Amino acid sequence: MRITAQQDAERAKYVVIGAQQEKKTIITRAKGEAQSAELIGTAVKRNPGFMKLRRIDAARDIADVVAHSGNKVYLNADSLLLNLLGDADEKFEKSIEHEQPQKKGWFK
């Protein structure tokens, strides 16, 4: 009986250590995701073209998945986010321009 109790105590100790490590992992991942979101937000404010690049990357990923799929898929360009020349980007850029202070002088 005594050996079983010791084994149970050791097992419980390792479960607690594992839970503590998992907690640290979750916290680290959350901090990384928060920092990533902050950096993306900063990049979007500084350069509205960043969103165009992200859309192109997403379209490329979607097209790659569809191309390697054994299924036949019929989608229009809007479904694949390939409407890269649409007015959504222009509206977004205009909204960003209104938020940023206008530069004065010949640096416009």
Side-chain angles (χ1 to χ4, degrees):
M1 268 305 187
R2 184 174 177 195
I3 294 175
T4 305
Q6 286 177 343
Q7 289 174 342
D8 287 343
E10 286 293 317
R11 192 174 301 125
K13 183 173 94 173
Y14 287 115
V15 167
V16 169
I17 290 171
Q20 290 171 341
Q21 289 295 327
E22 185 176 352
K23 176 184 172 183
K24 288 179 184 178
T25 301
I26 291 170
I27 290 171
T28 303
R29 185 178 299 126
K31 286 180 181 178
E33 288 176 4
Q35 186 177 12
S36 174
E38 189 175 315
L39 290 173
I40 289 171
T42 302
V44 168
K45 285 180 183 177
R46 288 185 181 168
N47 184 5
F50 179 78
M51 288 306 294
K52 286 184 182 180
L53 181 61
R54 294 289 292 221
R55 289 183 71 197
I56 291 169
D57 286 341
R60 184 181 300 136
D61 291 343
I62 292 168
D64 191 43
V65 168
V66 171
H68 290 97
S69 172
N71 302 326
K72 289 185 179 182
V73 179
Y74 297 98
L75 299 170
N76 62 17
D78 292 335
S79 298
L80 288 174
L81 301 173
L82 293 177
N83 187 14
L84 300 175
L85 300 176
D87 64 343
D89 289 330
E90 292 172 9
K91 288 178 184 176
F92 177 74
E93 287 177 10
K94 286 179 183 177
S95 70
I96 294 296
E97 287 173 2
H98 291 297
E99 291 177 8
Q100 295 176 349
Q102 295 295 321
K103 295 180 182 177
K104 295 182 180 180
W106 55 277
F107 293 106
K108 287 184 183 180

